[in-house]
């Protein structure tokens, strides 16, 4: 049985990765080390502990013979760690502030800090850095709470993160065409249109107290990214290729040269370049009626769009007065989005 080893370790240190050395009088014996009540693992002298985050650590060392027999005794040392975790600071935003941007410019600090972790609202802590926030982290309008904790070079984290509560009131950018009804969705359903051109218009709404941006930039990827200065209500168009099927577009707002708001959307584009096949099913003789409210039935090989586009499955009805009779006619109307193809029977009333 190998002899009990003799371990040497500092009783107090500011180093969070202290070294422990050990020896044994048994020739050819190896060593096993343990941290706290953890597992026994093979080790060699000097043994550098992994980063410690607490105020003390207990280590134990035992000898082991070539045949796997452990020493009867164990040498245990307790090391006090005097280095304290950094105290976090935040500048660039104060409690109660109203920020006119989705991209705060914050600076983090703390004596001895090496890195930082941030939590926004109820989110989990994740690695973050000082400076202007990225697109992935931009904030929506409304109340927010930011928590930041500094981490020193040994991995010790501030146990009391610094907190800031503030409100964001940036310009609100919205796409007005196509399909403004789904502005809260990043990925839209299929958009049907008559060509492969990528195009959109947008609006900019200012919360109370927020001044207008100095400029806007429109971006579109269809299939390659293109950007240009633009304005609310102006249509921005890019010609797509024959293989263009996914449209990405975005709007950026700038104030004093700094990005303050951004809006991003994506949609799948389908081209409908075939006119619907419309035929009459029931039409009064010669297409002339003497009474208003007479119904004309037609069929179409394509379904129209949403209720509200038209009451007659994509058909529009016009009527003109001729003496005492009213002539009814139907004309096909193109829409920017279509339901899946299918034959429908529609009824239109003369007006």
């Amino acid at each position: 049985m190998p002899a009990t080893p003799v371990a040497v370790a500092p009783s107090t240190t500011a180093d969070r990765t202290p070294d422990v050395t050990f020896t044994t009088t048994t020739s050819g014996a190896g060593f096993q080390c343990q941290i706290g009540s953890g597992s026994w693992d093979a080790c060699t002298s000097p043994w550098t502990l992994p980063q410690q985050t607490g105020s003390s650590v207990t280590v134990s060392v035992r000898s082991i013979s070539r045949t796997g027999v452990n020493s009867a005794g164990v040498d245990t040392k307790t090391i006090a760690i005097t280095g304290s975790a950094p105290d976090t600071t935040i500048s660039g935003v104060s409690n109660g502030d109203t920020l006119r941007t989705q991209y705060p410019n914050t600076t983090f600090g703390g004596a001895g800090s090496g890195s930082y972790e941030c939590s926004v609202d109820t989110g989990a802590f994740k690695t973050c850095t000082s400076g202007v926030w990225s697109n992935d982290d931009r904030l929506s309008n409304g109340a927010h709470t930011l928590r930041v904790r500094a981490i020193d070079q040994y991995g010790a984290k501030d146990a009391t993160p610094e907190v800031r509560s503030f409100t964001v009131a940036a310009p609100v950018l919205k796409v007005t065409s196509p399909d403004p009804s789904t502005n809260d969705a990043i990925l839209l359903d299929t958009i049907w249109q008559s060509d492969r051109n990528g195009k959109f218009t947008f609006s900019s709404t200012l919360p109370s107290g927020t001044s207008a941006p100095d400029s806007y930039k429109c971006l579109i990827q269809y299939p390659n990214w293109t950007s240009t200065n633009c304005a609310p209500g102006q249509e921005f168009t890019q010609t797509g290729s024959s293989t263009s099927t996914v449209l990405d577009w975005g709007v950026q707002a700038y104030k004093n040269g700094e990005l303050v708001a951004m809006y991003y959307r994506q949609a799948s584009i389908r081209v409908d370049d075939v006119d619907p096949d419309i035929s009459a099913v029931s039409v009064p003789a010669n297409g002339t009626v003497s009474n208003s409210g007479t119904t004309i039935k037609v069929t179409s090989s394509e379904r129209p769009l949403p209720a509200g586009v038209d009451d007659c499955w994509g058909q529009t009805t016009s009527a003109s007065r001729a003496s005492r009779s009213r002539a009814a006619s139907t004309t096909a109307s193109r829409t920017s989005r279509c339901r899946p193809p299918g034959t429908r029977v529609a009824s239109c009333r003369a007006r």
Side-chain angles (χ1 to χ4, degrees), residues 206-234:
L206 304 177
S208 176
T210 299
S211 57
D214 300 326
S215 62
Y216 299 89
K217 182 176 290 185
C218 287
L219 307 96
I220 199 165
Q221 179 173 266
Y222 193 59
N224 301 313
W225 277 111
T226 299
S227 65
T228 186
N229 293 333
C230 55
Q234 172 188 354

PDB file of all heavy atoms in Angstrom, residues 206-234:
ATOM      1  N   LEU A 206     -44.494  58.338 -35.678  1.00  0.00           N
ATOM      2  CA  LEU A 206     -43.652  58.853 -34.596  1.00  0.00           C
ATOM      3  C   LEU A 206     -44.401  58.867 -33.272  1.00  0.00           C
ATOM      4  O   LEU A 206     -45.465  59.482 -33.161  1.00  0.00           O
ATOM      5  CB  LEU A 206     -43.181  60.267 -34.927  1.00  0.00           C
ATOM      6  CG  LEU A 206     -42.426  60.433 -36.245  1.00  0.00           C
ATOM      7  CD1 LEU A 206     -42.085  61.898 -36.471  1.00  0.00           C
ATOM      8  CD2 LEU A 206     -41.164  59.590 -36.240  1.00  0.00           C
ATOM      9  N   PRO A 207     -43.892  58.175 -32.240  1.00  0.00           N
ATOM     10  CA  PRO A 207     -44.485  58.267 -30.909  1.00  0.00           C
ATOM     11  C   PRO A 207     -44.412  59.705 -30.408  1.00  0.00           C
ATOM     12  O   PRO A 207     -43.574  60.501 -30.862  1.00  0.00           O
ATOM     13  CB  PRO A 207     -43.599  57.337 -30.071  1.00  0.00           C
ATOM     14  CG  PRO A 207     -42.950  56.425 -31.057  1.00  0.00           C
ATOM     15  CD  PRO A 207     -42.757  57.250 -32.278  1.00  0.00           C
ATOM     16  N   SER A 208     -45.243  60.051 -29.460  1.00  0.00           N
ATOM     17  CA  SER A 208     -45.256  61.397 -28.892  1.00  0.00           C
ATOM     18  C   SER A 208     -43.871  61.764 -28.369  1.00  0.00           C
ATOM     19  O   SER A 208     -43.250  61.004 -27.624  1.00  0.00           O
ATOM     20  CB  SER A 208     -46.279  61.466 -27.750  1.00  0.00           C
ATOM     21  OG  SER A 208     -46.239  62.740 -27.134  1.00  0.00           O
ATOM     22  N   GLY A 209     -43.377  62.926 -28.777  1.00  0.00           N
ATOM     23  CA  GLY A 209     -42.079  63.396 -28.313  1.00  0.00           C
ATOM     24  C   GLY A 209     -40.908  62.942 -29.149  1.00  0.00           C
ATOM     25  O   GLY A 209     -39.772  63.363 -28.907  1.00  0.00           O
ATOM     26  N   THR A 210     -41.150  62.077 -30.132  1.00  0.00           N
ATOM     27  CA  THR A 210     -40.076  61.566 -30.984  1.00  0.00           C
ATOM     28  C   THR A 210     -40.027  62.369 -32.276  1.00  0.00           C
ATOM     29  O   THR A 210     -41.030  62.481 -32.976  1.00  0.00           O
ATOM     30  CB  THR A 210     -40.287  60.074 -31.312  1.00  0.00           C
ATOM     31  OG1 THR A 210     -40.290  59.329 -30.095  1.00  0.00           O
ATOM     32  CG2 THR A 210     -39.177  59.555 -32.213  1.00  0.00           C
ATOM     33  N   SER A 211     -38.869  62.939 -32.582  1.00  0.00           N
ATOM     34  CA  SER A 211     -38.723  63.738 -33.800  1.00  0.00           C
ATOM     35  C   SER A 211     -38.508  62.826 -35.002  1.00  0.00           C
ATOM     36  O   SER A 211     -38.075  61.681 -34.866  1.00  0.00           O
ATOM     37  CB  SER A 211     -37.548  64.716 -33.665  1.00  0.00           C
ATOM     38  OG  SER A 211     -36.354  64.015 -33.381  1.00  0.00           O
ATOM     39  N   ALA A 212     -38.808  63.368 -36.180  1.00  0.00           N
ATOM     40  CA  ALA A 212     -38.719  62.574 -37.409  1.00  0.00           C
ATOM     41  C   ALA A 212     -37.269  62.219 -37.717  1.00  0.00           C
ATOM     42  O   ALA A 212     -36.349  62.999 -37.480  1.00  0.00           O
ATOM     43  CB  ALA A 212     -39.326  63.355 -38.561  1.00  0.00           C
ATOM     44  N   PRO A 213     -37.033  61.015 -38.261  1.00  0.00           N
ATOM     45  CA  PRO A 213     -35.686  60.648 -38.695  1.00  0.00           C
ATOM     46  C   PRO A 213     -35.183  61.605 -39.774  1.00  0.00           C
ATOM     47  O   PRO A 213     -35.975  62.212 -40.501  1.00  0.00           O
ATOM     48  CB  PRO A 213     -35.868  59.231 -39.245  1.00  0.00           C
ATOM     49  CG  PRO A 213     -37.093  58.709 -38.556  1.00  0.00           C
ATOM     50  CD  PRO A 213     -37.984  59.901 -38.421  1.00  0.00           C
ATOM     51  N   ASP A 214     -33.869  61.728 -39.879  1.00  0.00           N
ATOM     52  CA  ASP A 214     -33.282  62.564 -40.921  1.00  0.00           C
ATOM     53  C   ASP A 214     -33.341  61.891 -42.288  1.00  0.00           C
ATOM     54  O   ASP A 214     -33.415  62.557 -43.318  1.00  0.00           O
ATOM     55  CB  ASP A 214     -31.817  62.878 -40.592  1.00  0.00           C
ATOM     56  CG  ASP A 214     -31.674  63.623 -39.281  1.00  0.00           C
ATOM     57  OD1 ASP A 214     -32.573  64.418 -38.960  1.00  0.00           O
ATOM     58  OD2 ASP A 214     -30.671  63.394 -38.578  1.00  0.00           O
ATOM     59  N   SER A 215     -33.275  60.561 -42.292  1.00  0.00           N
ATOM     60  CA  SER A 215     -33.263  59.833 -43.563  1.00  0.00           C
ATOM     61  C   SER A 215     -33.702  58.404 -43.352  1.00  0.00           C
ATOM     62  O   SER A 215     -33.732  57.901 -42.215  1.00  0.00           O
ATOM     63  CB  SER A 215     -31.864  59.865 -44.193  1.00  0.00           C
ATOM     64  OG  SER A 215     -30.929  59.215 -43.342  1.00  0.00           O
ATOM     65  N   TYR A 216     -34.040  57.748 -44.455  1.00  0.00           N
ATOM     66  CA  TYR A 216     -34.430  56.346 -44.451  1.00  0.00           C
ATOM     67  C   TYR A 216     -33.622  55.613 -45.519  1.00  0.00           C
ATOM     68  O   TYR A 216     -33.242  56.189 -46.541  1.00  0.00           O
ATOM     69  CB  TYR A 216     -35.918  56.173 -44.761  1.00  0.00           C
ATOM     70  CG  TYR A 216     -36.847  56.821 -43.773  1.00  0.00           C
ATOM     71  CD1 TYR A 216     -37.259  58.147 -43.953  1.00  0.00           C
ATOM     72  CD2 TYR A 216     -37.331  56.119 -42.677  1.00  0.00           C
ATOM     73  CE1 TYR A 216     -38.123  58.746 -43.055  1.00  0.00           C
ATOM     74  CE2 TYR A 216     -38.203  56.706 -41.763  1.00  0.00           C
ATOM     75  CZ  TYR A 216     -38.592  58.028 -41.973  1.00  0.00           C
ATOM     76  OH  TYR A 216     -39.445  58.617 -41.079  1.00  0.00           O
ATOM     77  N   LYS A 217     -33.410  54.343 -45.288  1.00  0.00           N
ATOM     78  CA  LYS A 217     -32.756  53.497 -46.280  1.00  0.00           C
ATOM     79  C   LYS A 217     -33.604  52.251 -46.488  1.00  0.00           C
ATOM     80  O   LYS A 217     -33.979  51.574 -45.521  1.00  0.00           O
ATOM     81  CB  LYS A 217     -31.351  53.107 -45.836  1.00  0.00           C
ATOM     82  CG  LYS A 217     -30.598  52.259 -46.858  1.00  0.00           C
ATOM     83  CD  LYS A 217     -29.166  51.977 -46.408  1.00  0.00           C
ATOM     84  CE  LYS A 217     -28.333  53.232 -46.466  1.00  0.00           C
ATOM     85  NZ  LYS A 217     -26.911  52.968 -46.143  1.00  0.00           N
ATOM     86  N   CYS A 218     -33.930  51.956 -47.735  1.00  0.00           N
ATOM     87  CA  CYS A 218     -34.701  50.762 -48.068  1.00  0.00           C
ATOM     88  C   CYS A 218     -33.745  49.679 -48.557  1.00  0.00           C
ATOM     89  O   CYS A 218     -32.837  49.943 -49.346  1.00  0.00           O
ATOM     90  CB  CYS A 218     -35.728  51.060 -49.157  1.00  0.00           C
ATOM     91  SG  CYS A 218     -37.124  52.049 -48.570  1.00  0.00           S
ATOM     92  N   LEU A 219     -33.968  48.469 -48.091  1.00  0.00           N
ATOM     93  CA  LEU A 219     -33.142  47.331 -48.481  1.00  0.00           C
ATOM     94  C   LEU A 219     -34.032  46.218 -48.993  1.00  0.00           C
ATOM     95  O   LEU A 219     -35.112  45.973 -48.442  1.00  0.00           O
ATOM     96  CB  LEU A 219     -32.324  46.818 -47.299  1.00  0.00           C
ATOM     97  CG  LEU A 219     -31.469  47.822 -46.540  1.00  0.00           C
ATOM     98  CD1 LEU A 219     -32.225  48.327 -45.318  1.00  0.00           C
ATOM     99  CD2 LEU A 219     -30.163  47.194 -46.100  1.00  0.00           C
ATOM    100  N   ILE A 220     -33.581  45.562 -50.051  1.00  0.00           N
ATOM    101  CA  ILE A 220     -34.366  44.458 -50.590  1.00  0.00           C
ATOM    102  C   ILE A 220     -33.410  43.393 -51.115  1.00  0.00           C
ATOM    103  O   ILE A 220     -32.360  43.713 -51.673  1.00  0.00           O
ATOM    104  CB  ILE A 220     -35.312  44.965 -51.713  1.00  0.00           C
ATOM    105  CG1 ILE A 220     -36.448  43.976 -51.956  1.00  0.00           C
ATOM    106  CG2 ILE A 220     -34.572  45.257 -52.988  1.00  0.00           C
ATOM    107  CD1 ILE A 220     -37.586  44.568 -52.778  1.00  0.00           C
ATOM    108  N   GLN A 221     -33.724  42.149 -50.868  1.00  0.00           N
ATOM    109  CA  GLN A 221     -32.916  41.036 -51.363  1.00  0.00           C
ATOM    110  C   GLN A 221     -33.792  40.161 -52.230  1.00  0.00           C
ATOM    111  O   GLN A 221     -34.653  39.438 -51.734  1.00  0.00           O
ATOM    112  CB  GLN A 221     -32.346  40.207 -50.213  1.00  0.00           C
ATOM    113  CG  GLN A 221     -31.514  39.017 -50.705  1.00  0.00           C
ATOM    114  CD  GLN A 221     -30.810  38.289 -49.585  1.00  0.00           C
ATOM    115  OE1 GLN A 221     -29.679  38.557 -49.276  1.00  0.00           O
ATOM    116  NE2 GLN A 221     -31.504  37.353 -48.961  1.00  0.00           N
ATOM    117  N   TYR A 222     -33.539  40.236 -53.547  1.00  0.00           N
ATOM    118  CA  TYR A 222     -34.425  39.522 -54.465  1.00  0.00           C
ATOM    119  C   TYR A 222     -33.783  39.389 -55.843  1.00  0.00           C
ATOM    120  O   TYR A 222     -34.207  40.077 -56.771  1.00  0.00           O
ATOM    121  CB  TYR A 222     -35.747  40.281 -54.550  1.00  0.00           C
ATOM    122  CG  TYR A 222     -36.875  39.517 -55.221  1.00  0.00           C
ATOM    123  CD1 TYR A 222     -37.305  38.297 -54.715  1.00  0.00           C
ATOM    124  CD2 TYR A 222     -37.491  40.015 -56.345  1.00  0.00           C
ATOM    125  CE1 TYR A 222     -38.330  37.614 -55.325  1.00  0.00           C
ATOM    126  CE2 TYR A 222     -38.522  39.342 -56.962  1.00  0.00           C
ATOM    127  CZ  TYR A 222     -38.936  38.138 -56.448  1.00  0.00           C
ATOM    128  OH  TYR A 222     -39.958  37.454 -57.049  1.00  0.00           O
ATOM    129  N   PRO A 223     -32.765  38.565 -56.056  1.00  0.00           N
ATOM    130  CA  PRO A 223     -32.176  37.663 -55.069  1.00  0.00           C
ATOM    131  C   PRO A 223     -30.983  38.273 -54.325  1.00  0.00           C
ATOM    132  O   PRO A 223     -30.514  37.718 -53.362  1.00  0.00           O
ATOM    133  CB  PRO A 223     -31.713  36.484 -55.925  1.00  0.00           C
ATOM    134  CG  PRO A 223     -31.322  37.146 -57.221  1.00  0.00           C
ATOM    135  CD  PRO A 223     -32.291  38.272 -57.420  1.00  0.00           C
ATOM    136  N   ASN A 224     -30.444  39.439 -54.809  1.00  0.00           N
ATOM    137  CA  ASN A 224     -29.278  40.044 -54.184  1.00  0.00           C
ATOM    138  C   ASN A 224     -29.681  41.305 -53.424  1.00  0.00           C
ATOM    139  O   ASN A 224     -30.621  42.009 -53.804  1.00  0.00           O
ATOM    140  CB  ASN A 224     -28.230  40.394 -55.251  1.00  0.00           C
ATOM    141  CG  ASN A 224     -27.781  39.181 -56.047  1.00  0.00           C
ATOM    142  OD1 ASN A 224     -27.470  38.143 -55.477  1.00  0.00           O
ATOM    143  ND2 ASN A 224     -27.760  39.313 -57.368  1.00  0.00           N
ATOM    144  N   TRP A 225     -28.940  41.612 -52.356  1.00  0.00           N
ATOM    145  CA  TRP A 225     -29.263  42.779 -51.547  1.00  0.00           C
ATOM    146  C   TRP A 225     -29.009  44.061 -52.334  1.00  0.00           C
ATOM    147  O   TRP A 225     -27.975  44.248 -52.953  1.00  0.00           O
ATOM    148  CB  TRP A 225     -28.426  42.809 -50.269  1.00  0.00           C
ATOM    149  CG  TRP A 225     -28.977  41.971 -49.163  1.00  0.00           C
ATOM    150  CD1 TRP A 225     -28.441  40.825 -48.659  1.00  0.00           C
ATOM    151  CD2 TRP A 225     -30.174  42.213 -48.421  1.00  0.00           C
ATOM    152  NE1 TRP A 225     -29.230  40.335 -47.653  1.00  0.00           N
ATOM    153  CE2 TRP A 225     -30.300  41.156 -47.486  1.00  0.00           C
ATOM    154  CE3 TRP A 225     -31.156  43.187 -48.451  1.00  0.00           C
ATOM    155  CZ2 TRP A 225     -31.353  41.073 -46.584  1.00  0.00           C
ATOM    156  CZ3 TRP A 225     -32.217  43.103 -47.558  1.00  0.00           C
ATOM    157  CH2 TRP A 225     -32.311  42.059 -46.647  1.00  0.00           C
ATOM    158  N   THR A 226     -29.977  44.956 -52.303  1.00  0.00           N
ATOM    159  CA  THR A 226     -29.861  46.281 -52.879  1.00  0.00           C
ATOM    160  C   THR A 226     -30.383  47.275 -51.861  1.00  0.00           C
ATOM    161  O   THR A 226     -31.368  47.000 -51.173  1.00  0.00           O
ATOM    162  CB  THR A 226     -30.690  46.413 -54.175  1.00  0.00           C
ATOM    163  OG1 THR A 226     -30.194  45.475 -55.135  1.00  0.00           O
ATOM    164  CG2 THR A 226     -30.593  47.813 -54.764  1.00  0.00           C
ATOM    165  N   SER A 227     -29.738  48.426 -51.730  1.00  0.00           N
ATOM    166  CA  SER A 227     -30.223  49.438 -50.790  1.00  0.00           C
ATOM    167  C   SER A 227     -30.121  50.812 -51.426  1.00  0.00           C
ATOM    168  O   SER A 227     -29.264  51.056 -52.285  1.00  0.00           O
ATOM    169  CB  SER A 227     -29.409  49.410 -49.496  1.00  0.00           C
ATOM    170  OG  SER A 227     -28.066  49.785 -49.729  1.00  0.00           O
ATOM    171  N   THR A 228     -31.013  51.704 -51.000  1.00  0.00           N
ATOM    172  CA  THR A 228     -31.020  53.061 -51.530  1.00  0.00           C
ATOM    173  C   THR A 228     -31.767  53.950 -50.558  1.00  0.00           C
ATOM    174  O   THR A 228     -32.573  53.472 -49.744  1.00  0.00           O
ATOM    175  CB  THR A 228     -31.685  53.108 -52.916  1.00  0.00           C
ATOM    176  OG1 THR A 228     -31.538  54.427 -53.462  1.00  0.00           O
ATOM    177  CG2 THR A 228     -33.173  52.785 -52.819  1.00  0.00           C
ATOM    178  N   ASN A 229     -31.513  55.243 -50.618  1.00  0.00           N
ATOM    179  CA  ASN A 229     -32.284  56.177 -49.811  1.00  0.00           C
ATOM    180  C   ASN A 229     -33.720  56.185 -50.301  1.00  0.00           C
ATOM    181  O   ASN A 229     -33.983  56.058 -51.502  1.00  0.00           O
ATOM    182  CB  ASN A 229     -31.686  57.580 -49.893  1.00  0.00           C
ATOM    183  CG  ASN A 229     -30.320  57.665 -49.235  1.00  0.00           C
ATOM    184  OD1 ASN A 229     -30.012  56.899 -48.320  1.00  0.00           O
ATOM    185  ND2 ASN A 229     -29.496  58.602 -49.687  1.00  0.00           N
ATOM    186  N   CYS A 230     -34.662  56.332 -49.392  1.00  0.00           N
ATOM    187  CA  CYS A 230     -36.069  56.271 -49.756  1.00  0.00           C
ATOM    188  C   CYS A 230     -36.883  57.116 -48.780  1.00  0.00           C
ATOM    189  O   CYS A 230     -36.334  57.727 -47.865  1.00  0.00           O
ATOM    190  CB  CYS A 230     -36.562  54.828 -49.771  1.00  0.00           C
ATOM    191  SG  CYS A 230     -36.283  53.940 -48.219  1.00  0.00           S
ATOM    192  N   ALA A 231     -38.184  57.129 -48.968  1.00  0.00           N
ATOM    193  CA  ALA A 231     -39.064  57.930 -48.130  1.00  0.00           C
ATOM    194  C   ALA A 231     -40.375  57.189 -47.910  1.00  0.00           C
ATOM    195  O   ALA A 231     -40.773  56.369 -48.744  1.00  0.00           O
ATOM    196  CB  ALA A 231     -39.320  59.287 -48.779  1.00  0.00           C
ATOM    197  N   PRO A 232     -41.084  57.465 -46.806  1.00  0.00           N
ATOM    198  CA  PRO A 232     -42.382  56.827 -46.562  1.00  0.00           C
ATOM    199  C   PRO A 232     -43.343  57.086 -47.721  1.00  0.00           C
ATOM    200  O   PRO A 232     -43.390  58.190 -48.276  1.00  0.00           O
ATOM    201  CB  PRO A 232     -42.866  57.507 -45.282  1.00  0.00           C
ATOM    202  CG  PRO A 232     -41.608  57.931 -44.586  1.00  0.00           C
ATOM    203  CD  PRO A 232     -40.688  58.335 -45.679  1.00  0.00           C
ATOM    204  N   GLY A 233     -44.079  56.063 -48.133  1.00  0.00           N
ATOM    205  CA  GLY A 233     -45.045  56.179 -49.207  1.00  0.00           C
ATOM    206  C   GLY A 233     -44.467  55.987 -50.587  1.00  0.00           C
ATOM    207  O   GLY A 233     -45.203  55.860 -51.561  1.00  0.00           O
ATOM    208  N   GLN A 234     -43.141  55.947 -50.696  1.00  0.00           N
ATOM    209  CA  GLN A 234     -42.490  55.758 -51.996  1.00  0.00           C
ATOM    210  C   GLN A 234     -42.285  54.280 -52.260  1.00  0.00           C
ATOM    211  O   GLN A 234     -41.790  53.558 -51.406  1.00  0.00           O
ATOM    212  CB  GLN A 234     -41.134  56.485 -51.985  1.00  0.00           C
ATOM    213  CG  GLN A 234     -40.270  56.216 -53.193  1.00  0.00           C
ATOM    214  CD  GLN A 234     -38.868  56.810 -53.030  1.00  0.00           C
ATOM    215  OE1 GLN A 234     -38.600  57.506 -52.070  1.00  0.00           O
ATOM    216  NE2 GLN A 234     -38.006  56.511 -53.980  1.00  0.00           N
TER     217      GLN A 234
END
